[in-house]
Amino acid sequence: VRCPSFHPCPAAGTSEFMQVPAGVPVRESIEELQRRYLDGDKQPLENVFRAFHLIQDPSFVKPESPDSFFSIGGLHGEPFGEGIRPQVDKLPPEDKYAYWGGWCQHNNVLFPTWHRGYVLHLELALRAALKKVGAPCADEFAMPFWDETSKETLESGVPWAFTVETVEIGGKTVRNPLRSYTFPRGVCDPDPGSWSYSKPKGYETVRYPFSGIVHPKEAKAAADAHNAKLQNMNTDDMLNQNVVAWMTDGFREKDFNNTGVTGVAAMYHKCLQAPTYNVFSNTRSASSYRNKHKAAVCSLEAPHNSTHLAVGGYSAPKDVTSTNPVSGEVVGIVSGDTEGIVSGANGDMGENNTAGLDPIFFFHHCFVDYVFWRWQVLHDATGLPSGGVGRHNETGLTITADDVGTFVATGQGPSKGQSPNATLNINTVLQPFLYTSESVQNITLYYTYGPGSLDDVKLEPQKEGGAVLEVQFTREQFEGSVLVKAYAILGGEEIYLGHVAVLSRFNLAACKNCLNKTVVHEFFELDGFLTDADVEAARFRVDFDFRAVSAPAAVQYKCFVNGKPAPCDDPRPSKNRAGETYVGSREDEVEVVVSKSSGVSGDVRFDLEARGFDPPSLDACRLSGVALSVTCERGLLLA
């Protein structure tokens, strides 16, 4: 299948922006550049505005050019309806839907390294644009990172460079190219049933609290009515409030090591303690490790997902509280009202389809890469030789085989060019780029980082996990990303345990390989909420806040406490983003379908390990049917 004309994969050295300068540029935080700007040193931040303005300007670079923002931003997800999808639809049945549509890697061990290559790809294009117009300091240009755990973000939200409507470039006032992006052509996900996430030419990206849904007609009418209510309101302030709430919310992640850091910020701190690269790299490997070793671990991908949803249109919960029966502290949300500041938001950062076309995406992922580098430094996995800068070293990244995160099909399905049966390793090509995880492990070949808020984090002894609620459900029940909220029910009282973000593609219906790999595992710590005796006596309930245009007939899920099935109630009736009410149900019988082409015996072996079975004991499951359905006696298998 050929790359479409607007997504070429240039060979090394064939495009100007693929050249890395001899000097190593320094990636500063956007907060630092803002401080310099206000102190009179405007050039560094103005160059950021100028570079983004240039690659977004169709008179400077055509949208179909590989170094335009449209082409680079579109590598993550849409536009994948033109050029590739029709050709895939013509393939034989056994090869059809062998990739999800976009190039991005999620839910597997390539998540940190693929996005590292992606941000570097953009950085080189921005630098080349500045050099082309003779901008000052063009050779030293580096992509800034949004320091999401900085004092400024935790107190004030999104940096002002992303929200002001206009900026000055060379003495001229222009539209701020970091605030939004206007599509020069339409994009669509042409799979059956997913036209609701198409975007027309002239569409301008939106963030919380706005809704960017434009299809179908009924959903667009609801979005228009929602947006009309926001007129004459300080929507930037609403966005900032929502980001602060997500970053500091103490229900999702309690105080980290008595540092006073809570919420998503604490998750970023916590992921730096991940014992291996596999565990650090993705949510699936971290979940598997949590099950096997009963260790309280967090992956980099988990807080990353939360930032996407915070900016992209999910409200942090309202402060509706009750008294914790254990500690006496005021905790929890008893009403289940998680509409937060504004209901009905649908920003582009909240879905993998269009996230890469919001400029803030790259500043977010530059921070994710900064956190990745901090983990490498802490765990002696930089690839730096002891004598100085270099490529190879025994202390580089190690990707452990036979882990659920090394399956190419894990989560969303493989990207274009990847076999559904392949496994991932240090030398897997990070398509459509020419990098591998090995070649990008040492960032000093390309850039380095200035000061950041996580520089002083130290390694702590690994802590054994306490009682934990595990929630399992399948993503194909929903269109798009989901906010999962968990409750313990004890003596007639509901105790809110927290919420977690699940970032997803908007539609999975036609991605057959995706459907085989969409079981989500999320964990909610029970320590501090329930005593050991209360854990045994409690029931649980899980509610789902989602952005679907059409509501599922019933949301199914299962609960486990410390690896054993736990009693769980039906979800509270809720409304999707189109205002439709649904009533969910817990799962009594669970059947996971595994395709014949996805290495069934190997998959089942790892799934059994994660669920506590002795791997050879495949008789614990019954294998039957043409589609090779797998029904397990002790709960839902990892699929």
Side-chain angles (χ1 to χ4, degrees):
V1 180
R2 291 186 307 170
C3 297
S5 60
F6 51 91
H7 279 185
C9 180
T14 60
S15 177
E16 179 185 5
F17 68 83
M18 293 296 290
Q19 305 300 320
V20 179
V24 180
V26 179
R27 292 181 176 179
E28 303 283 2
S29 70
I30 196 74
E31 292 85 351
E32 173 62 21
L33 299 191
Q34 288 181 164
R35 283 190 287 271
R36 294 182 190 176
Y37 188 93
L38 296 177
D39 287 341
D41 182 13
K42 296 187 176 183
Q43 190 62 58
L45 184 56
E46 186 170 312
N47 259 2
V48 177
F49 293 137
R50 177 182 284 109
F52 272 86
H53 175 75
L54 288 171
I55 68 170
Q56 292 177 14
D57 183 358
S59 67
F60 179 79
V61 56
K62 294 181 179 179
E64 61 269 20
S65 170
D67 47 356
S68 73
F69 184 78
F70 184 69
S71 287
I72 297 173
L75 292 174
H76 190 264
E78 294 187 39
F80 48 68
E82 303 176 46
I84 298 177
R85 185 79 257 169
Q87 296 179 58
V88 172
D89 288 338
K90 296 176 183 178
L91 295 173
E94 62 269 20
D95 296 327
K96 198 170 290 187
Y97 305 114
Y99 74 104
W100 83 278
W103 296 94
C104 67
Q105 297 290 339
H106 291 268
N107 308 119
N108 65 47
V109 293
L110 299 188
F111 166 73
T113 52
W114 187 90
H115 285 86
R116 171 172 286 177
Y118 190 27
V119 175
L120 177 58
H121 189 71
L122 175 78
E123 180 178 71
L124 296 172
L126 294 169
R127 187 180 300 137
L130 292 174
K131 291 172 67 175
K132 188 172 183 179
V133 299
C137 305
D139 285 333
E140 291 79 28
F141 176 83
M143 180 71 197
F145 63 99
W146 168 19
D147 195 341
E148 297 172 18
T149 53
S150 68
K151 183 176 183 289
E152 292 91 336
T153 293
L154 301 185
E155 293 181 353
S156 303
V158 177
W160 58 260
F162 302 135
T163 58
V164 293
E165 294 188 5
T166 60
V167 296
E168 281 195 6
I169 301 176
K172 296 182 179 179
T173 301
V174 300
R175 180 192 66 84
N176 182 3
L178 309 186
R179 180 180 173 90
S180 63
Y181 176 62
T182 300
F183 291 5
R185 58 194 293 183
V187 301
C188 65
D189 183 345
D191 293 340
S194 64
W195 285 98
S196 57
Y197 214 72
S198 298
K199 308 279 184 172
K201 177 181 179 180
Y203 170 82
E204 185 176 359
T205 58
V206 298
R207 300 169 187 157
Y208 184 95
F210 290 101
S211 175
I213 294 294
V214 295
H215 290 100
K217 180 172 61 177
E218 297 80 6
K220 183 179 186 303
D224 289 344
H226 167 83
N227 292 337
K229 296 177 182 178
L230 300 173
Q231 298 301 317
N232 302 318
M233 293 186 180
N234 189 340
T235 52
D236 290 343
D237 188 53
M238 294 178 185
L239 171 62
N240 290 331
Q241 289 181 43
N242 198 51
V243 168
V244 169
W246 272 90
M247 291 296 169
T248 62
D249 170 49
F251 297 121
R252 177 61 189 97
E253 192 69 41
K254 297 189 289 294
D255 189 356
F256 178 76
N257 286 351
N258 298 314
T259 60
V261 180
T262 58
V264 175
M267 296 170 71
Y268 278 120
H269 280 253
K270 188 174 181 179
C271 76
L272 291 173
Q273 308 298 322
T276 69
Y277 172 75
N278 287 51
V279 173
F280 171 78
S281 67
N282 73 98
T283 54
R284 292 297 296 272
S285 294
S287 295
S288 177
Y289 187 92
R290 179 69 174 83
N291 268 332
K292 295 176 185 178
H293 300 279
K294 309 306 178 189
V297 294
C298 178
S299 72
L300 172 66
E301 191 175 22
H304 147 271
N305 290 349
S306 294
T307 301
H308 267 276
L309 269 61
V311 174
Y314 278 80
S315 290
K318 284 182 179 178
D319 188 17
V320 182
T321 60
S322 64
T323 301
N324 187 308
V326 176
S327 65
E329 297 176 343
V330 176
V331 298
I333 295 178
V334 294
S335 69
D337 180 3
T338 54
E339 295 296 350
I341 304 165
V342 173
S343 172
N346 282 277
D348 291 279
M349 272 282 283
E351 310 292 347
N352 278 336
N353 295 59
T354 55
L357 292 166
D358 183 335
I360 203 172
F361 169 95
F362 291 96
F363 298 85
H364 165 50
H365 271 280
C366 197
F367 173 73
V368 169
D369 186 64
Y370 158 75
V371 181
F372 178 19
W373 182 244
R374 293 306 308 153
W375 182 89
Q376 291 180 258
V377 170
L378 284 171
H379 295 265
D380 195 19
T382 61
L384 281 166
S386 57
V389 175
R391 181 182 297 274
H392 299 289
N393 186 22
E394 310 81 39
T395 61
L397 295 177
T398 299
I399 295 179
T400 305
D402 296 347
D403 172 82
V404 67
T406 62
F407 297 157
V408 71
T410 297
Q412 68 185 14
S415 295
K416 177 183 175 294
Q418 291 180 324
S419 166
N421 299 317
T423 56
L424 306 172
N425 58 55
I426 194 75
N427 294 312
T428 301
V429 177
L430 306 174
Q431 299 186 53
F433 318 115
L434 297 179
Y435 307 116
T436 65
S437 297
E438 191 278 334
S439 70
V440 298
Q441 63 179 330
N442 175 14
I443 67 168
T444 65
L445 294 168
Y446 312 101
Y447 57 87
T448 189
Y449 280 103
S453 58
L454 298 179
D455 289 352
D456 296 329
V457 174
K458 307 297 183 185
L459 279 181
E460 304 285 345
Q462 184 170 318
K463 297 181 179 179
E464 183 175 338
V468 64
L469 170 68
E470 178 186 356
V471 177
Q472 299 182 6
F473 64 95
T474 55
R475 287 190 297 120
E476 72 266 18
Q477 298 180 84
F478 306 97
E479 289 178 333
S481 303
V482 186
L483 186 66
V484 185
K485 304 160 291 184
Y487 303 79
I489 304 170
L490 185 66
E493 183 176 10
E494 291 185 351
I495 302 170
Y496 182 63
L497 302 175
H499 54 276
V500 65
V502 179
L503 182 66
S504 180
R505 176 190 178 184
F506 196 77
N507 177 63
L508 298 175
C511 183
K512 294 180 181 178
N513 196 65
C514 306
L515 295 181
N516 295 331
K517 297 289 180 182
T518 62
V519 178
V520 176
H521 303 253
E522 297 297 349
F523 296 88
F524 298 86
E525 302 293 336
L526 300 179
D527 285 359
F529 292 98
L530 301 174
T531 64
D532 291 343
D534 287 340
V535 169
E536 296 294 326
R539 298 184 61 82
F540 300 92
R541 192 187 76 246
V542 181
D543 294 341
F544 301 86
D545 185 15
F546 58 99
R547 296 146 48 108
V549 173
S550 59
V555 177
Q556 295 184 329
Y557 70 95
K558 287 188 78 73
C559 297
F560 299 85
V561 172
N562 297 336
K564 298 179 180 179
C568 49
D569 294 343
D570 290 347
R572 179 185 290 109
S574 184
K575 290 184 178 181
N576 67 352
R577 293 312 192 189
E580 300 170 323
T581 300
Y582 80 95
V583 178
S585 68
R586 61 184 175 82
E587 295 186 77
D588 294 314
E589 295 289 336
V590 179
E591 189 172 75
V592 179
V593 179
V594 181
S595 69
K596 284 184 176 180
S597 63
S598 61
V600 172
S601 62
D603 289 352
V604 171
R605 177 179 298 273
F606 299 128
D607 294 345
L608 290 171
E609 288 178 348
R611 269 269 51 84
F613 286 105
D614 181 15
S617 301
L618 297 182
D619 56 352
C621 293
R622 301 185 297 276
L623 308 183
S624 63
V626 176
L628 201 54
S629 297
V630 180
T631 305
C632 188
E633 295 175 357
R634 285 179 50 197
L636 183 63
L637 291 176
L638 282 166

